[in-house]
């Protein structure tokens, strides 16, 4: 068919499928052929739901799958599962793909290429790391496998390696299932994206639900017996384990694109412009494999998060479909729930702000989620990081319980707009006793921060 | 004592006591004498908590009182309860006060005067409106009285007159207590601060919990027997009632100040500058008795809400204490919970936007509070009102259940900063399955609104 273009998409998850869907909305099958290659057994699923599948909060894997391959095919998107892209040939405008269930290798031609290769989980190069019973938490299959182990093998002791979001969510999942859970991390606190004082509150909350924390203890290896993991070793102890979960973070999965000559940045992520175009003609990229701009520091960052992947994929798809859309960057917002505890952050923490060259003033306040007399009221701590002198909000962190974490949205929007903590004290936020004390915690924190900025000014004019 | 000034405060509730406390923080008793006259039996209580006290959600009235008169006295604030200011003499710099429990009248001199006379409840001039069993919901005593009636007299049928926030909260309180509750309003919808389509959802929710709604039926009178109310009459029906609650809204309680010559505006509220100074030398005002600027329409408005009263009182107090603070105005943000339903709004609704001279584009989306697969997920509706052509956010409304309403904070902050719905689509909001679908409802609504703005542009360039 004359003039019909071919779009190949590598990676069938959040970014890839969002891009494919948007491009299809704008250009019909007569104009644009869309083929997606996905290495895994599933596409278009919520990776963030894996801990809830593993722990049984979500009944079955199907609940995490937004759309089936058939649904995509009905929309004119040819989604090929178990098909791995092994090489990109930029000058030739083609991608080499391999059927993982047989079918050999072949070259596929493209007019436009969308790279959505996601993230690569950090896996320790340690003895025993590949033993049976050591699980990653990356693809849907990992969640299905862990769930099956919890359901069928009834393990008693679990060790989680890594105290980031995924590690904590997996710890919650297994505590809820009644396992004896230990969490090991080389860092001195869980959630390194929080400042130490706020991280300490998370550590307390984890201990409070029965998780044994071993912080500042890098894992040195895994004991095995007959190919099965039996324990996790640190310099200080041996932790017996029927089950090990690795939540060590991820890096951008940009190897394939880099090998082809697509430019990547200092973070390891693929460099794109705000329309999600790479520096290579006809090649677009989105999701965990790219780097993006942090709106406060201005620096490139690689933050693997489904919400960014969806937004970036959509932007790429709109542009691939002949429209115009841009991705502005990220504010570093994140929220997590671990049993009753809610944790949130946005912008820069103290360390990040210092690295970005800011002098800072901080203020942390203890307040409540609702009016003190309203049932279900809980205590929450809100910390703000503001620029010294100007008082511009640079970052915020929250640790609390029900109703606490989503307050980070308002803080993220304030920060996005460059508000100062002084300006924020006047904000008109929703108040009624079931939702907030008469001074919302966000306002109380802003007031305290504004006072601190003023005190500092007076102390050193 | 030479140079010692005297600050008189009329009204000992949110605005008055905030002002007194802030002024005291900045100027000690040797510099500034502070005397507060409060007509009622209580000061410094949460008026917003009255429905919860009445319904028994809050155990006793003491829980609503932030500070006792003794606590204020310990801080050097002379709070005189049951003392009514009956006249202000501006040229003479004095206020006439009357002890309501005896003690006669006298003039009290001031150097600075703080007017915090609150709001006056609308009371219908209708036959029977003063009968026993017809209750206002204005002061703490009202809540105590209604609670006592519910506890001791075990009434069976209640009629609430007025479908605003207070009316609905009182309806909830009495439904929870097992009463048969009818709600009557002359308007065609409850919550007139919402657009009709969103108000209809609130009406459905009220019916869903068993409230009988009679809308578009102004109350014409109250039947009484032996001085007690027995029924509420509209043109269409007679509603038997053991108990009637009036939630008909309020107007600024500015009569005392106006009579003295202090300037009031078209809303009936006292006119102040951003530091909360009236146009009369030495006279400051804050709270429900003043009018303020709506940040979207630019027009003066009088919105009786504890959160504004506290902020304005604080600003007045900082300035009275020799500091510098300003109140920027309001965005019209409000939230309410009625049984399981959560309702929120900010900015202008369609009618208000039209009155303010805006041409608008609206978008309403149905979405979920959490990831679709996460336990406790509920449906919520988010409606945005944007300026035609520019896409600037003018207002937002939310109706949903747990986790829905406080999302209005982010919308209020976006609107405060003049963001367009297109800009909002890129916002970095907190995402994790327990808190949000991967596209937060705020983002989905912004996307739909941005599409509408673009479609309109294309249809009529």
């Amino acid at each position: 068919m004359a003039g019909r273009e071919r779009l190949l998409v590598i990676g069938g998850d959040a970014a890839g499928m969002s891009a494919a869907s948007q491009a299809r909305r704008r250009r019909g099958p007569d104009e644009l052929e869309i083929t997606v290659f996905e290495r895994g057994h599933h596409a278009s699923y919520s990776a963030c739901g894996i801990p809830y599948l593993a722990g049984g909060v979500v009944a079955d894997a199907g609940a995490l799958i937004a759309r089936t391959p058939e649904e995509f095919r009905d929309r004119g998107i040819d989604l090929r599962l178990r098909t791995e892209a092994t090489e990109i040939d930029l000058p030739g405008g083609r991608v080499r793909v391999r059927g993982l269930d047989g079918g050999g290798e072949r070259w596929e031609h493209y007019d436009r290429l969308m790279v959505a290769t996601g993230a690569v989980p950090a896996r320790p190069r340690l003895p025993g790391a590949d033993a049976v019973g050591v699980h990653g938490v990356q693809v849907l299959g990992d969640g299905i496998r862990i769930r099956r182990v919890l359901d069928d093998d009834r393990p008693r002791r679990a060790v989680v390696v890594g105290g980031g979001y995924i590690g904590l969510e997996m710890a919650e999942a297994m505590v809820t299932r009644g396992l004896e859970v230990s969490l090991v991390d080389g860092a001195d606190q869980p959630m390194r994206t929080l400042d130490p004082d706020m991280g300490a509150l998370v550590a307390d909350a984890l201990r409070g639900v029965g998780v044994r924390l071993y912080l500042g203890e890098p894992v040195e290896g895994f004991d095995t017996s007959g190919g099965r993991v039996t324990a996790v070793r640190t310099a200080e102890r041996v932790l017996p384990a029927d089950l090990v979960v690795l939540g060590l973070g991820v890096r951008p999965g940009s190897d394939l694109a880099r090998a082809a000559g697509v430019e990547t940045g200092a973070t390891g992520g693929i460099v794109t412009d705000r329309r999600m175009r790479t520096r290579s003609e006809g090649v677009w990229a989105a999701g965990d494999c790219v780097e993006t701009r942090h709106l406060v520091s201005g620096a490139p960052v690689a933050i693997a998060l489904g919400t960014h992947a969806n937004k970036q994929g959509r932007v790429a798809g709109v542009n691939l479909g002949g429209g115009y859309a841009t991705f502005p960057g990220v504010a570093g917002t994140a929220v997590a729930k671990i049993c009753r505890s809610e944790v949130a952050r946005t912008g820069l923490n103290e360390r990040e702000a210092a690295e970005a060259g800011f002098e800072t003033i901080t203020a942390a306040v203890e307040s409540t989620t609702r009016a003190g007399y309203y049932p279900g009221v809980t205590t929450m701590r809100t910390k703000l990081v503001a620029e010294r002198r100007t008082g511009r909000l640079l970052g915020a962190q929250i640790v609390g319980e029900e109703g606490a974490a989503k307050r980070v949205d308002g803080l993220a929007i304030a920060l996005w707009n460059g508000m100062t903590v002084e300006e924020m004290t006047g904000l008109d936020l929703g108040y009624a006793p079931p939702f907030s004390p008469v001074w919302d915690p966000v306002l109380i924190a802003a007031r305290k921060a504004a006072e601190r900025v003023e005190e500092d000014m007076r102390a050193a004019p």
Side-chain angles (χ1 to χ4, degrees), chain A:
Chain A
M1 212 174 301
R4 190 184 190 215
E5 274 196 342
R6 188 174 200 216
L7 168 65
L8 293 190
V9 179
I10 307 177
D13 221 320
M17 296 322 294
S18 293
S21 298
Q22 279 298 326
R24 174 55 76 230
R25 270 184 70 177
R26 294 181 173 248
R27 296 176 74 188
D30 293 347
E31 263 189 87
L32 186 71
E33 182 193 332
I34 305 178
T35 305
V36 182
F37 301 116
E38 164 56 43
R39 186 165 56 178
H41 290 273
H42 311 90
S44 186
Y45 60 86
S46 168
C48 310
I50 294 173
Y52 307 105
L53 171 65
V57 167
V58 172
D60 64 86
L64 301 191
I65 297 173
R67 280 196 193 85
T68 62
E70 291 67 38
E71 288 175 285
F72 283 111
R73 252 168 244 138
D74 289 346
R75 296 167 162 222
I77 295 169
D78 184 9
L79 168 58
R80 307 202 195 152
L81 296 176
R82 299 288 291 155
T83 306
E84 185 174 23
T86 55
E87 189 181 344
I88 300 169
D89 171 12
L90 290 181
R94 56 187 193 156
V95 173
R96 187 156 62 181
V97 299
R98 184 160 64 97
L100 294 177
D101 298 325
E105 291 203 327
R106 65 186 183 280
W107 285 98
E108 297 268 2
H109 149 83
Y110 67 79
D111 297 297
R112 311 274 197 115
L113 179 65
M114 172 76 207
V115 180
T117 40
V120 180
R123 250 191 123 90
R125 291 170 181 276
L126 292 171
D130 295 320
V132 174
V134 178
H135 298 269
V137 193
Q138 171 72 3
V139 293
L140 192 55
D142 294 329
I144 294 171
R145 262 188 300 277
I146 296 170
R147 169 71 166 276
R148 200 177 297 140
V149 168
L150 294 179
D151 285 349
D152 299 348
D153 303 353
R154 305 269 163 185
R156 201 164 58 79
R157 291 163 306 189
V159 177
V160 175
V161 182
Y165 296 93
I166 285 284
L168 298 197
E169 286 167 358
M170 287 304 302
E172 169 192 82
M174 294 187 295
V175 161
T176 308
R177 292 291 298 252
L179 276 75
E180 197 177 276
V181 178
S182 301
L183 192 146
V184 190
D185 198 309
D188 288 332
Q189 65 171 85
M191 295 218 174
R192 285 267 293 152
T193 61
L194 301 180
D195 286 325
D197 56 328
M198 299 297 277
L201 297 180
V202 178
D204 289 346
L206 285 166
R207 289 190 193 101
V209 296
V211 175
R212 297 168 194 202
L213 283 187
Y214 302 102
L215 300 172
E217 297 191 23
V219 170
E220 301 197 332
F222 302 91
D223 290 355
T224 60
S225 165
R228 277 198 71 86
V229 71
T230 58
V232 176
R233 278 185 180 275
T234 72
E236 274 132 285
R237 72 197 81 234
V238 177
L239 293 163
D242 303 320
L243 174 71
V244 173
V245 172
L246 301 178
L248 290 163
V250 296
R251 61 174 180 82
S254 55
D255 296 345
L256 184 72
R258 188 188 299 108
V262 177
E263 187 177 332
T264 55
T267 68
I270 297 168
V271 176
T272 73
D273 64 13
R274 289 181 60 174
R275 297 181 70 202
M276 306 314 295
R277 286 189 307 191
T278 70
R279 300 267 163 92
S280 300
E281 183 65 30
V283 183
W284 303 65
D288 296 354
C289 62
V290 308
E291 67 177 29
T292 187
R293 193 169 59 107
H294 194 291
L295 287 167
V296 183
S297 70
V301 286
I303 296 177
L305 207 53
T307 184
H308 303 327
N310 269 281
K311 283 201 203 94
Q312 292 172 342
R314 178 177 167 272
V315 165
V318 168
N319 290 315
L320 282 162
Y324 173 76
T326 57
F327 183 76
V330 300
T333 310
V335 292
K337 183 166 181 288
I338 299 99
C339 295
R340 289 165 57 94
S341 295
E342 295 190 2
V343 184
R345 55 99 66 218
T346 189
L348 306 176
N349 62 27
E350 285 191 72
R351 176 177 44 78
E352 291 165 339
E355 283 166 10
F358 291 104
E359 278 195 277
T360 57
I361 299 282
T362 66
V365 299
E366 200 115 300
S367 178
T368 59
T369 49
R370 310 168 187 241
Y373 53 79
Y374 196 87
V377 60
T378 57
T379 299
M380 61 181 277
R381 194 168 177 83
T382 307
K383 177 175 180 173
L384 303 187
V385 178
E387 188 179 27
R388 202 178 161 218
R389 301 301 184 196
T390 68
R392 176 184 156 209
L393 182 68
L394 300 176
Q397 296 160 55
I398 292 169
V399 178
E401 297 189 7
E402 190 266 311
K406 260 299 222 177
R407 280 180 158 92
V408 79
D409 285 358
L411 292 160
I413 299 175
L415 174 149
W416 189 279
N417 285 284
M419 292 188 87
T420 66
V421 287
E422 168 60 31
E423 285 169 336
M424 288 171 61
T425 61
L427 282 170
D428 188 359
L429 305 184
Y431 162 61
F435 300 105
S436 170
V438 70
W439 289 95
D440 192 275
V442 166
L443 299 175
I444 300 175
R447 262 170 57 185
K448 178 143 180 200
E451 281 165 19
R452 285 270 169 87
V453 170
E454 201 186 333
E455 280 162 21
D456 170 70
M457 206 97 77
R458 250 183 273 134

